[in-house]
Each structure stands twice: as structure tokens, then as C-alpha cells.
Amino acid sequence: MLADHGVACVGDLLLHTPRRYEDRSAVVPVTSLREGEAALLRGTVRRVRVGRRRGRGRGVVHAELVTPEGTVPVVWFNQTWIAGRLAGEPEVFLFGTVRRRGGTEVLQVVNPSVEPVDAGEVEALRIVPVYPRLGAWGGRRLRRLVGHALPALGRLDDPVPAPVLARLGLPGIREALRTLHRPEVPEDPGARRALVEALEGRRTPAHRRLAFDELLALAGAVEGIRTRRRTRRAPRCAAEGAPELPLPFELTAAQRRVADEIARDLSGERPMARLLQGDVGSGKTVVAALAAWRVLHSGFQVAFMAPTELLAEQHHRTLSGLFGGTPWEPLLLTGSLGASERRRVLGRLGSGGPCLVVGTHALIQEAVSLPELGLVVVDEQHRFGVAQRRSLVEKGRAPHLLVMTATPIPRTLALVAYGDLDLSVIDELPPGRRPVRTVVRTRDRAGKLWSFVAREAREGGRIFVVYPLIEGSEGVEAEAVEDNLPELRRRLPGLAVAALHGRMDAGERRATVEAFRAGGIQVLVATTVVEVGVDVPEASVMVIESPRRFGLSQLHQLRGRIGRGPRPSWCVLLVDEERLGEAARRRLEVFRSTTDGFRLAEADLEIRGPGEVAGLRQWGADGLRHARLPADLDLLQASREVVASLASRGELDAVLSGLGGYLRGTGEAGRD
Ligand code: ADP
Ligand code: MG
């Protein structure tokens, strides 16, 4: 049963750290009991009576505890057996919560645990750990089990060298675990309170030690990937003498700088592994196209992977525009390709000549062979797992890798999420963009909104209306596309209103997007399928229904679909006043007040924790059990430095395997 709950050996049990602590460190005189607080009392029990609770049939035990300072009533509900246990005890410790007796001023102790004063196993006069339950085991029974495991600490060798710990002010692993399971009780009452608070807040050096070990293991795994990559020889793609790829616009300074960084990597001997980060609409695609151009000119193949068919098709269109008239007409490979077209594309790829293929996950299927793969581009990296990225890379010998993300990852977390990649940032938008203005409107005032939408559409704008769901579902309070479509059509007479969502087949979806681009459809009622891959400069209004259903980064991504052309653009968050909680209101206010994707991602991190932040899950960073980000950021930084210094002394592998010996759940990255 313990194994089912992740505890398969004594070491696992020692790493099962308390969730909170009970301060039973000092006896509280009955004269200073306070309602609502738990207290340790010492005295003798008398006048034990067993009764029935009115109307409930369950037993209740009443008694009195006599202490040197006075007497206090005690009551146990539903535990009549306790009367028998109390019988022969001369003196006991009780630990329980103080409550007012129904409708009176009398304080009584409710459901206290009982411990004879002369018992061998003592929880009284300690700071007592409370563990997360393991199946049927919890409370005192689990404490006792962990207690039995504690002597095994003596056999746990510390994998982290002492000088490293000393420099960081961290305790040894034995000491850290002992403190967490059996904190020493300080003499001074103030120090006792401070210790309990620090333990509960997970701020003790012992907590930091476990957090550090986890982050060290993670940083070590990431470093391992870098090192393995550096030992491989990449296809050299200097593209000497190649003409410039003609572009329909001037690159921004940021695009030029990043394109140069990539060009340098491509002409080197080691495979590039670079993350290209740039806010929505900053123009990453063309930078990838320039990289592809060099690789094609050097005689190698390029695979460009996007997370959705919609986006793959969009890229295929864009690249076909750029590469039209070159020998490298881009190919498209998605799941919805017809059999003969698919055969044709696979044949071209397998023949090994230089070519550019854009596709979805379909690219990583076994049937796809890319013998001369020189460059892998992964767009919207956060939508893919590390494993998928790797499957594509492994189709070549040691291709260059360019991963692109528009979902900004907080600076604080980039180290974890993309620690194995070099970073390039496009921090500038193409000229002529107008900032999108964002407003929050309540549904009861939506009438005015729809007349604004109608006017905007008649003047040549295009409108997105985004819903969290395709169809309404029982028990989920969120608006849905299909439920609202008839109503929207009625409110927007004379306009072409169409739905777009993931349950439509690929052809239908493509036709809808095309019509929206061309203006035949003016209002697109969609789910988040439009989050990536719809690049329509006329789109100037986005109405988002039930916006509290989306994370801030996702809202940001959605909002990035508008404001791509010269029209002034509006993002309208349509909220239901009653359903909107205070937290959601604050979140939406953050979103309204800034268009800085990084700030929004940081705010997401603070509000929702790292598990929600794009890009982290694949690294197992949301599976961190002891480390907390961003709180433990300093330790993350330290762990990277320690990894570097251990690696330079050849000690890294030993330390990592030592850590692996007792850490669980942090090894995800190691599988890369
Ligand atoms: P993202 O970084 O979000 O992937 P895209 O690559 O889709 O952005 O570019 C967004 C839009 O900006 C596209 O329509 C693209 O043609 C246009 N664009 C990109 N770079 C420039 C530039 N330097 N000048 C003008 N328009 C540009
Ligand atoms: Mg893009």
C-alpha cells in the first residue's frame, strides 16, 4: 500500500516530509487557554461519563482535567472507547483544540489525543510533524513508522561535498532530514514559535537543503544533455556565396541580430541548440526562414514542426511565399494529407536531397525519413514535449535545432525550462503596429458591444469571438461556441458569422480560415484553436467570453491575433459579474493593464504556480516536491554554478548518482 503511494523503500519514507507541524512543545496552563487554538495540557482526568448525543445515536465522553492551575472540561465525540483508556491513568498529556461550549462562555478541550505522562513513546513536549497521508496510514501511526525509519539516516551518505554545503549555508542531508522529522525544541518560547513558523512556511535550512538537492539534480540532467550535444559533429551550413533571401519587408534590428546569431551557429562544427524567444507577432517565422535558407543552400534538409494543422498550414503558406521561385518549394506533411500526396512527400524526403518540409506531429512518425536533416525548427515549443522534439532531431545525425516560443517564459524559470538551450530574444515588434487596447465589459452591457462589433466589421475589420468550450457541458460554468452561435448571428444581422473549432475536419477548417482572411467571413466564433496560426492583418477586435477560464499567458497569446495590421484594435473581456471572484478580477486587471508578455507570465507564475507555466511540465519541473519556484530561485542559480564547478573537477556524475539514490520524481529531464 505504501508503494502505491510512492513509498517503496526506507529512503522514500525518510523523504516523505511533513506537511505541517503541531506545537506541543510546552504545557499551557488552563488559565491561558484561548479559543480556537490547540494546546497541550497536563493533569489527571476525573468524572468520566459516557453519554449519547441528542438525536444522533453516537456516543460522547465527558470528563474533567485537573491541573495545578485549575480544572477544564474535556469532551470526545464519537470515541466512547476512550473512556476505558482513561480509566487507570494517573496523569496524562492531552493535546486538542479549545472551543467554547455551545452557547456558553465555558472553554472546553475537544477531541484531544491522550498520552500517559510516563509512556515510553512521547509526542508531548515536542514539535510534532503531521505527514501527508499514505493510503490508510496517517497521524500517529505514520509518525511511528517514520520514527522507525529514522535510524537508517545513519547510513545515508551525503552526495553533496561538504565545502559546497558550507558555502551555501546548507546543512548535511542527515541533519536536514532529522530536523524535518524530529525538530529540536528550543528552550526559549519565542524561538520555539519562530521555529514552528519557519517549519510550517518551509523556510528552514533543512527545507532549503532538500530544495537544493532537487534543483541540483535537475541542473545536472540539463548539463548532461548539453555535454552530449557538444561531442557531436553538426552539418556545416555556412552557405558561402549564397544570395540573400528576398524579403517583402526590412528586418527589424532585433530580427537581424538574432538571424546573425543563428548564422554563426549554423556555420560552426557543433549542432546549434537555440531557443528563439519573441513575443507574439515579433516576427520569428521569417528568422526561421532565413536559417532554413542557409541550410538548404548547404545541401541539407529542413523540418519545420508546428503544434497544430492550422499553424502548419499557415507556415506552409508563408514559406511558400518566401521560397516561391527557388528550387525549394516547401512541402506540407500533416495527418489529414491524402494517401497519394503523403506518399509523394515521403518519397521526396526519403530521397535525401535538400528540401523544406513543414508539418505537425506527423513529422515524427516512423515512416518519415530525413536522411540529410540539417535543421529542425520547432515552433511554439511549449506545446510539445521534450520527447517529441527529440524524436524529430533523431531523424538526422546531429542536426541543428531552433525552437521558437511566443509564450514567454518568466525569466526566473527559463533556466529550468530551457536550460539546455542558448537563448536569442527578439525584443522589438515590426514597425507600424498599434498597441491593442483591452477592456473588461459585463455581459449585461453586451448590447453596445455587439453594435460596436457590427460597425467595425462593416468598416472592414474582422472579429474574433473566443469561447473556452465547443459545447456547453454539465457542471462547467463557461460559455461555449455552439451554444452562442445562433444568438450571435441574430445580434449581428447582415454579417457572415462562422464557427471554428477543433472538432471540424481539416478541409472545413481551412476553408473557414481562408474565407475569414479574404473577408467573406467577418466574425469568427472560435475556441483557442486560433491561439496560434491565424495571422490576419485586418483582425481588429477580439471578444473573449469567460476569460477567467484562461491563464494569463494564454490570454496574451490570444490577444496577439489582433493588432497585426494598421487598424486600431480592441480586446474585450466579457465577464459575468456574479461569477467573477476576487482573484479572477485581479488577474484580469493585470491582463488589462499590460501587454508585456513577460510580466504576464511572471504574474501567472505567482498566481498559479509553476505547473501552469508553459514549458515547465515537460522538464518535470512541476513535479518538484521540495523546491518552490520562484521562491527558491537563488538555489536554482546556485545549483547551476555548482554543476559547472563539479563538472570541471570531474565530480558531477558521482554527485548526481548519489542524489538519484534518494530523490524521486525529479529525474524527468534525465530521460532526454
Ligand atoms: P510570431 O513571432 O508571432 O511567429 P510572425 O512570424 O507570425 O510572428 O510575424 C507576424 C507578422 O509580422 C507576419 O504577418 C509577418 O509577415 C510580419 N512581419 C514579420 N517581420 C516583419 C518586419 N520586419 N516588418 C514588417 N512585418 C513583419
Ligand atoms: Mg509564430
Side-chain angles (χ1 to χ4, degrees):
M1 186 200 65
L2 291 177
D4 283 346
H5 290 84
V7 173
C9 64
V10 173
D12 291 343
L13 198 56
L14 291 172
L15 267 278
H16 186 65
T17 52
R19 181 164 42 89
R20 60 184 187 86
Y21 292 84
E22 286 173 353
D23 186 1
R24 309 190 188 181
S25 57
V27 172
V28 179
V30 295
T31 45
S32 31
L33 294 181
R34 274 196 301 222
E35 188 189 4
E37 287 184 3
L40 181 75
L41 303 165
R42 177 177 173 157
T44 50
V45 176
R46 65 170 193 204
R47 294 187 147 170
V48 180
R49 312 187 302 286
V50 180
R52 299 247 145 240
R53 289 177 81 181
R54 252 170 292 142
R56 306 202 198 172
R58 288 272 194 67
V60 54
V61 176
H62 292 279
E64 272 176 18
L65 186 74
V66 182
T67 77
E69 293 81 20
T71 299
V72 65
V74 188
V75 61
W76 286 270
F77 296 111
N78 307 334
Q79 321 176 35
T80 39
W81 53 267
I82 213 147
R85 232 195 106 185
L86 292 169
E89 293 299 346
E91 201 176 14
V92 292
F93 288 111
L94 298 185
F95 180 78
T97 308
V98 178
R99 300 260 180 239
R100 219 168 275 282
R101 182 182 283 168
T104 71
E105 292 297 298
V106 181
L107 291 179
Q108 59 180 6
V109 182
V110 179
N111 286 342
S113 65
V114 181
E115 196 169 39
V117 166
D118 58 2
E121 176 225 348
V122 193
E123 298 202 326
L125 302 175
R126 290 187 192 245
I127 295 168
V128 174
V130 180
Y131 296 96
R133 292 190 71 83
L134 291 171
W137 286 41
R140 193 184 286 188
R141 195 163 167 219
L142 187 50
R143 273 198 288 281
R144 204 175 300 153
L145 187 67
V146 175
H148 287 314
L150 281 179
L153 276 179
R155 287 189 290 163
L156 183 58
D157 288 326
D158 203 321
V160 181
V164 171
L165 296 175
R167 193 151 36 77
L168 296 169
L170 296 171
I173 189 64
R174 293 181 194 179
E175 184 193 335
L177 289 172
R178 194 177 304 282
T179 302
L180 294 179
H181 293 297
R182 286 277 184 279
E184 295 245 358
V185 179
E187 288 285 333
D188 173 60
R192 267 200 313 264
R193 260 193 310 279
L195 175 60
V196 174
E197 264 173 37
L199 283 167
E200 297 235 308
R202 299 166 156 263
R203 288 188 312 268
T204 65
H207 285 101
R208 281 173 60 78
R209 169 63 208 264
L210 289 187
F212 175 72
D213 283 12
E214 249 178 7
L215 295 170
L216 189 62
L218 195 63
V222 168
E223 176 59 26
I225 295 165
R226 287 187 82 98
T227 312
R228 282 198 294 283
R229 197 178 282 136
R230 273 198 294 266
T231 61
R232 297 167 132 196
R233 271 191 104 78
R236 286 205 52 208
C237 303
E240 274 129 12
E244 293 264 311
L245 174 66
L247 297 176
F249 42 67
E250 290 256 335
L251 292 181
T252 61
Q255 284 171 317
R256 169 116 328 271
R257 187 188 67 239
V258 169
D260 288 345
E261 283 166 3
I262 293 171
R264 255 197 312 282
D265 284 357
L266 291 177
S267 54
E269 308 219 304
R270 304 285 162 232
M272 167 175 81
R274 193 167 277 283
L275 174 68
L276 172 49
Q277 195 172 64
D279 214 339
V280 192
S282 61
K284 294 182 291 297
T285 318
V286 67
V287 171
L290 290 171
W293 176 251
R294 287 180 172 274
V295 173
L296 291 165
H297 258 288
S298 311
F300 295 97
Q301 300 178 310
V302 180
F304 195 133
M305 183 161 70
T308 65
E309 290 206 359
L310 210 58
L311 183 54
E313 284 159 12
Q314 164 88 40
H315 282 325
H316 183 250
R317 239 178 94 92
T318 306
L319 295 170
S320 298
L322 291 172
F323 287 80
T326 75
W328 307 298
E329 193 64 40
L331 303 164
L332 180 66
L333 186 69
T334 65
S336 59
L337 226 54
S340 67
E341 176 63 6
R342 185 180 144 80
R343 252 196 317 278
R344 186 184 76 87
V345 172
L346 291 183
R348 274 292 309 280
L349 303 181
S351 73
C355 63
L356 167 57
V357 61
V358 183
T360 54
H361 302 80
L363 284 172
I364 59 184
Q365 284 158 6
E366 205 145 329
V368 180
S369 140
L370 289 155
E372 297 293 332
L373 187 56
L375 170 67
V376 166
V377 180
V378 180
D379 196 18
E380 304 297 346
Q381 152 79 11
H382 64 285
R383 298 285 203 90
F384 291 105
V386 169
Q388 289 166 313
R389 184 221 277 176
R390 189 185 46 205
S391 322
L392 187 50
V393 164
E394 281 174 358
K395 296 215 177 261
R397 278 187 291 276
H400 299 285
L401 171 68
L402 179 64
V403 304
M404 310 201 288
T405 184
T407 300
I409 177 140
R411 281 168 263 267
T412 49
L413 288 183
L415 292 177
V416 187
Y418 299 120
D420 65 321
L421 305 175
D422 298 318
L423 182 66
S424 290
V425 180
I426 304 184
D427 49 7
E428 178 184 3
L429 292 179
R433 296 277 169 80
R434 301 241 201 143
V436 176
R437 270 163 299 176
T438 303
V439 294
V440 180
R441 291 284 179 267
T442 52
R443 295 191 115 233
D444 50 9
R445 291 177 52 198
K448 261 167 94 181
L449 168 65
W450 299 123
S451 33
F452 164 70
V453 162
R455 195 168 58 243
E456 185 68 16
R458 276 195 298 273
E459 287 171 7
R462 299 257 216 292
I463 287 85
F464 291 105
V465 187
V466 179
Y467 291 92
L469 304 173
I470 299 177
E471 268 175 307
S473 95
E474 201 70 34
V476 180
E477 283 185 5
E479 296 295 325
V481 171
E482 295 290 354
D483 304 351
N484 284 276
L485 197 56
E487 166 78 2
L488 282 176
R489 289 204 164 113
R490 205 173 49 70
R491 282 179 176 267
L492 300 170
L495 294 181
V497 180
L500 183 75
H501 55 69
R503 237 185 268 154
M504 293 158 60
D505 77 50
E508 203 182 343
R509 234 168 34 212
R510 198 172 311 134
T512 305
V513 173
E514 267 327 299
F516 185 64
R517 195 188 306 284
I521 290 171
Q522 292 131 333
V523 181
L524 204 55
V525 186
T527 57
T528 54
V529 290
V530 297
E531 182 183 296
V532 291
V534 179
D535 181 20
V536 176
E538 290 80 10
S540 55
V541 179
M542 173 172 282
V543 180
I544 304 179
E545 288 257 24
S546 306
R548 72 204 159 90
R549 289 273 151 194
F550 302 107
L552 289 178
S553 292
Q554 198 174 17
L555 286 172
H556 179 65
Q557 189 85 12
L558 283 167
R559 182 169 57 183
R561 296 304 110 200
I562 56 173
R564 299 189 153 220
R567 295 187 74 83
S569 299
W570 293 88
C571 176
V572 184
L573 306 175
L574 205 49
V575 300
D576 226 338
E577 203 56 30
E578 308 94 71
R579 288 187 197 165
L580 197 65
E582 187 47 38
R585 193 185 311 277
R586 269 207 314 278
R587 236 157 44 82
L588 296 184
E589 175 52 28
V590 174
F591 179 69
R592 197 197 57 73
S593 64
T594 182
T595 52
D596 179 341
F598 286 102
R599 270 215 49 211
L600 290 171
E602 300 266 6
D604 243 356
L605 175 66
E606 261 154 45
I607 299 167
R608 313 215 296 177
E612 297 293 333
V613 177
L616 282 184
R617 189 156 306 153
Q618 5 169 331
W619 282 103
D622 65 336
L624 293 174
R625 297 171 66 223
H626 304 286
R628 288 178 311 163
L629 297 169
D632 290 325
L633 184 69
D634 63 319
L635 290 177
L636 178 59
Q637 234 124 21
S639 71
R640 306 241 303 171
E641 286 152 26
V642 170
V643 160
S645 84
L646 290 174
S648 72
R649 277 178 284 135
E651 294 170 12
L652 183 59
D653 287 345
V655 170
L656 291 181
S657 83
L659 288 172
Y662 63 88
L663 286 179
R664 282 175 301 125
T666 46
E668 296 297 317
R671 292 201 215 119
D672 192 67

